[in-house]
Amino acid sequence: MRLTSKFIVSREGEKMRRVYLDYSATTPTKKEVLDAMMPYFTEVFGNPSSIHGFGREAKKIVNESRATIASLMNADEKEFFFTAGGTESDNWAVKGAAKALKNKGNHIITSKIEHHGILHTCETLEKEGFEVTYLEVDEFGRISLEDLKAAIKPETILISIMYANNEIGTVQPVKEIGSIAKENGVLFHTDAVQAFGNFKIDVKDMNIDLMSISSHKIYGPKGIGGLYIRKGVRLQNFVDGGAQERKKRAGTENVPGIVGFAKAAEIAYRDFDAHIEKLTTLRERLRNGIMETIDYAKYNGHPEERHPGNVHVAFEFIEGEALLLSLDMVGVAGSSGSACTSGSLDPSHVLMSIGLTHEIAHGSLRLTIGDFTTEEDVDYVVKELKGIVARLRMMSPLYDKVTGGK
Ligand code: PLP
């Protein structure tokens, strides 16, 4: 099933629209990206560590790709390292900094709404004797800069606060966090997996020391990501082995993946203005369509400081899984939150942190728009969603009680 073919034929022989609104989980690889990758599977297939011509050709493209991505965040090419994705970058940044700086201190500050790539990493470090402060967030999902300042102590070695939240889309005051970290001589890591390609990021201007990014969120291939490490920052290696990535991250480079990642990043910033304009327009159309036609719905995340493609709504008197399955039956792909927590019955830690009750959090739906979304897609989703919510609520005794059966 190709994403570009917008219709599928159902079992009953009817044509049904198919709408993918889960771009924060992953994106399709763009044709331009795939085309750029292809020669690196079959023609330029050498191992970049080999000294012969095949190897040298591969090494050249790896370094050109590194320079492309680094320049898009205003970093030097020597400051950017390829990894196997956002999760590895998060693990490397936090564990690597903690271990390199353990003689200086054992305290890390993060937030309660980070991706599990950070939260579970912090939990592992706590078992090893590190102390972690998990900052609260407000109802929109933002940390307080005053809380951050108050949490810093002489033992603090690292602040890790995400750029844009993967569930509710809220963007943190990254530049201000960077200034606070710098003033206090503490390293600042940001998980920018949802932000890179959707925001203009200048690591120097924002005082970012470490930054995780991932290719498959920006129309590049899966299994490739990167970590920006500011010059002078010491990190313990996360993957030991050969001398790849200037002896910091061992393992034969995923050359086609690296090429695809760089191409995707280049396209993201080449077409940046049109991409943002399109996503925000469709996001507002979707948001308004839902909020104006469905009652007992709560729009989550920050009203302005948010990911351009993120719509997050919690519907009262509804069970999120039932909602997702019903949407799937009419060809609509959404999410209940983080792709990594779906399948679990626990309400999302992000929704709990912004103060939603368990009942409301369970009725939540994340719809994320991307470059292939159309106005017709959005209108179709609004129409179908309205009918599905009404149907599911007919089965809710609580809804009946609250509305008096109207
Ligand atoms: N961090 C955030 C904020 C994410 O949204 C994700 C993926 O959903 C990750 C990290 C993990 O990235 P990857 O899938 O490349 O491991």
Side-chain angles (χ1 to χ4, degrees), residues 287-302:
R287 179 187 104 115
N288 294 339
I290 296 173
M291 299 309 290
E292 283 163 14
T293 57
I294 305 178
D295 57 5
Y296 298 101
K298 184 177 180 307
Y299 188 62
N300 298 308
H302 198 280

Side-chain angles (χ1 to χ4, degrees), residues 24-25 85-87 90 115 162 164 166 191 193-194 214 216-217 340:
S24 278
T87 304
D90 282 350
H115 187 269
M162 72 199 315
N166 47 301
D191 173 342
V193 167
Q194 295 289 345
S214 178
H216 75 105
K217 309 288 183 181
C340 314

Side-chain angles (χ1 to χ4, degrees), residues 24-26 84-90 113-118 162-167 191-195 212-217 222-225 338-340 366:
S24 278
T26 197
T87 304
E88 184 189 314
S89 302
D90 282 350
I113 64 161
E114 298 296 308
H115 187 269
H116 283 137
I118 294 293
M162 72 199 315
Y163 201 119
N165 183 266
N166 47 301
E167 286 189 47
D191 173 342
V193 167
Q194 295 289 345
S212 307
I213 63 173
S214 178
S215 152
H216 75 105
K217 309 288 183 181
K222 294 172 182 56
I224 182 81
S338 160
C340 314
R366 179 187 77 176

Side-chain angles (χ1 to χ4, degrees), residues 316-380:
E316 285 185 65
F317 320 112
I318 291 228
E319 217 280 297
E321 292 290 307
L323 186 57
L324 282 182
L325 290 175
S326 306
L327 282 170
D328 190 38
M329 283 168 69
V330 294
V332 178
S335 157
S336 57
S338 160
C340 314
T341 45
S342 59
S344 140
L345 285 178
D346 292 337
S348 128
H349 62 287
V350 176
L351 302 182
M352 292 292 94
S353 300
I354 59 168
L356 298 195
T357 61
H358 276 232
E359 290 73 23
I360 297 182
H362 271 304
S364 68
L365 175 67
R366 179 187 77 176
L367 297 172
T368 43
I369 288 160
D371 285 350
F372 298 102
T373 312
T374 63
E375 275 185 9
E376 292 74 34
D377 288 340
V378 167
D379 296 346
Y380 174 76

